[in-house]
Amino acid sequence: VGMLATSLPVTLAACQSEPPTADAPPTTGGGTDAPAIDDTPREDGFAAIGTVAQLDEAGFISDKTFQGEQVLVVRDPANADSLIAVNSLCTHQGCSVDWEGGGDFTCACHGSAFAPDGSVKAGPATDPLGKFTAQIDGDLVLVKVS
Ligand code: FES
């Protein structure tokens, strides 16, 4: 019994998964073979979160560690030439919202829904999603988080 007790902490430690790294690549649904991009913030505060090709292939770009923020970028359903970037942290209890291609951000945890402008369409959330400024520059999707 003593031997089992002494080996237990090692077994438990071995079962724990690795925490996500700060350099985890953005999620676009397009696989992990996307080329790396320079996400160093520029002088104007914008930084590249992905490419236009990634955005259009998956319909969104999501990065939960982008410049210290949880960012989800989509094309504006009302004007495909402009972008919408929100903080994907649900304002109810902090789950991540997803983009529904039809034009809403939805939270699977308790069913909240948010319009493209971040406003609440359905509770239990009562506060809008945080928003960031996003733009396209050449073939890059840029987001300014502060
Ligand atoms: Fe999103 Fe509850 S955390 S609806």
Side-chain angles (χ1 to χ4, degrees):
V1 173
M3 187 171 168
L4 177 63
T6 54
S7 65
L8 192 55
V10 173
T11 305
L12 289 176
C15 290
Q16 292 174 348
S17 60
E18 293 291 317
T21 66
D23 294 329
T27 304
T28 60
T32 57
D33 56 350
I37 58 168
D38 180 2
D39 63 354
T40 305
R42 309 185 320 187
E43 273 188 25
D44 61 6
F46 282 94
I49 193 170
T51 66
V52 174
Q54 289 173 320
L55 176 67
D56 290 337
E57 182 180 339
F60 66 93
I61 296 176
S62 176
D63 188 341
K64 295 181 179 177
T65 59
F66 182 73
Q67 312 295 327
E69 298 286 352
Q70 194 165 311
V71 180
L72 177 55
V73 185
V74 300
R75 285 192 184 270
D76 185 343
N79 176 9
D81 290 336
S82 66
L83 302 180
I84 294 171
V86 298
N87 186 326
S88 60
L89 205 64
C90 179
T91 57
H92 177 229
Q93 289 184 359
C95 290
S96 295
V97 300
D98 297 313
W99 173 247
E100 299 297 323
D104 287 340
F105 298 100
T106 59
C107 180
C109 285
H110 310 101
S112 289
F114 303 86
D117 68 358
S119 62
V120 177
K121 286 183 74 175
T126 56
D127 294 322
L129 295 174
K131 293 192 72 178
F132 304 112
T133 306
Q135 66 184 34
I136 291 174
D137 183 8
D139 61 351
L140 293 177
V141 175
L142 305 178
V143 175
K144 187 178 185 177
V145 298
S146 58

